Each structure stands twice: as structure tokens, then as C-alpha cells.
Amino acid sequence: NRLFYAKKEAVNFEKEYKEQKEHLVKLLKEVMSTADSVKLISFVNSPKKETVDGQRLTRYDLTIRKEAILPFYNALSEKVEKDDEIKREFRDFFKDGGLKQYLESPEFDQVFDYFLANTKHTVWVDDNGFPVLLEEKVRIVPPDTAIPLKDKQIDFIFKLALSRINEPVIIEAPTDAKLIDDLLKE
């Protein structure tokens, strides 16, 4: 009985994932198109060629334009409102009037100014325009109330390296792996 339930849930999960994936991809396309139309992201400086791990790449230092955030949110909200498929899946996010109010507030300005001053976004692409390396650098300045950290700062760097894109992936089960059927019998 538990095995039947696990199989049924796996089928439901796969079906739901495929449906959500379609909607998510559609939303991401709208997000990218809208971001481009309002010029949400801009270059900090001119792109430059660099060699990273022996590979010749083009480096792009990027920033988010604060003055484009509200137009981006408004334009995306309008697009979502006109598309029943996306609206059905993501309406709660775009119906939140509080988010729009926050984006128009002095509090948002302060938080975003801090974010801009302490965050750097960098993308390296290959000669075909494919991203190879993404980096997010965040400078963390502890508050004055953190006495042991007085006059100290932390640079948190998150890097994502992409390689062997579209090459087959071979996954081997560990030697001590158990089948789900066996686990359900325990």
C-alpha cells in the first residue's frame, strides 16, 4: 500500500513539476523582456577581456538601476494581469499592494542604497556569449551593537562556475544505495 502511494505521489509530482516548469519559463521570459525594456540592469564599466582558469572570457560588472525598479514591477504586473496562465500561478506575488508601497517608500531607498554600496555583480561569458562564471560579492558591515566585531567587515563571495554545458551527465549510485521499495518495506 505504501509503495502504491509513493508511486502515485511520484507521478503527481512529475506532472505538477512539468506544468509549473512551463509557467515558470514563461514568467522568466516575461521578467527578462520587461527588465530589458526598462533597462533594469546596466554596466558599471565597459566589458573587458580576461583570462580565467586558462579560458579567455569577457567580464561584465553589472548594477541594478534603482530608478528602474518601480517601472519594472509595474510593467511586469501589467503583463502578468493580461496572461491568465501566469496570473493563475503567480498572482499572489503581484497582487501584494504592500510591495508596491514599499518600493515607493524612503525605507526602500535606504535599504537599496546600502545594497548598491555593498554588493557587486559580475558575469564572465565565453566567445559564444554563454555564461561561464557568475559572482556575487557582498560586503557585510556588522552593526555597532556587535562589540566583538567592532571595526571588522566581512566579504561574502558567492561564485557559480558553469562548464560542460549540454554534455551528458553520468550518475552512479553509491555501492550501499537502497531501492525505495526496500526502504518502504522497513
Side-chain angles (χ1 to χ4, degrees):
N1 193 17
R2 287 164 62 189
L3 180 60
F4 173 75
Y5 176 77
K7 285 181 181 177
K8 181 180 167 193
E9 285 304 304
V11 169
N12 288 342
F13 177 78
E14 182 180 15
K15 180 182 173 203
E16 195 173 304
Y17 168 76
K18 286 179 180 177
E19 289 172 4
Q20 291 292 330
K21 181 181 170 187
E22 257 181 56
H23 298 303
L24 185 58
V25 167
K26 190 172 185 177
L27 178 64
L28 287 174
K29 286 180 181 179
E30 290 295 341
V31 166
M32 300 308 279
S33 168
T34 305
D36 189 44
S37 72
V38 299
K39 302 196 179 347
L40 180 66
I41 298 173
S42 66
F43 297 119
V44 173
N45 45 39
S46 297
K48 53 187 159 194
K49 288 283 191 180
E50 293 182 350
T51 301
V52 180
D53 295 331
Q55 190 174 5
R56 195 81 175 135
L57 304 173
T58 303
R59 175 188 176 134
Y60 297 91
D61 294 312
L62 307 172
T63 190
I64 299 170
R65 295 177 52 246
K66 181 168 62 172
E67 63 275 9
I69 292 175
L70 192 57
F72 167 73
Y73 179 80
N74 290 335
L76 191 57
S77 295
E78 287 177 25
K79 285 183 179 183
V80 168
E81 191 59 39
K82 292 176 185 174
D83 189 309
D84 289 335
E85 287 178 42
I86 296 175
K87 184 168 56 174
R88 185 173 43 251
E89 299 299 326
F90 302 101
R91 69 176 162 252
D92 292 341
F93 178 78
F94 292 99
K95 274 189 160 183
D96 181 12
L99 179 56
K100 185 175 179 181
Q101 279 182 318
Y102 175 67
L103 293 174
E104 296 170 328
S105 73
E107 291 84 9
F108 172 75
D109 284 342
Q110 289 176 341
V111 169
F112 196 79
D113 290 345
Y114 179 84
F115 169 81
L116 279 181
N118 293 289
T119 307
K120 293 182 180 176
H121 319 277
T122 306
V123 177
W124 287 265
V125 300
D126 65 15
D127 290 337
N128 295 319
F130 291 111
V132 174
L133 185 62
L134 309 170
E135 180 179 284
E136 182 87 12
K137 184 177 180 181
V138 180
R139 183 174 67 115
I140 301 170
V141 181
D144 293 338
T145 55
I147 306 299
L149 300 175
K150 184 175 171 54
D151 299 326
K152 298 202 174 22
Q153 297 180 12
I154 302 164
D155 281 335
F156 176 77
I157 300 172
F158 173 78
K159 285 187 179 182
L160 175 64
L162 305 170
S163 63
R164 300 182 357 215
I165 296 170
N166 293 331
E167 289 184 16
V169 176
I170 298 169
I171 300 173
E172 293 183 25
T175 55
D176 60 346
K178 294 183 180 182
L179 295 173
I180 193 162
D181 294 344
D182 295 337
L183 291 172
L184 293 172
K185 290 177 188 173
E186 294 178 1

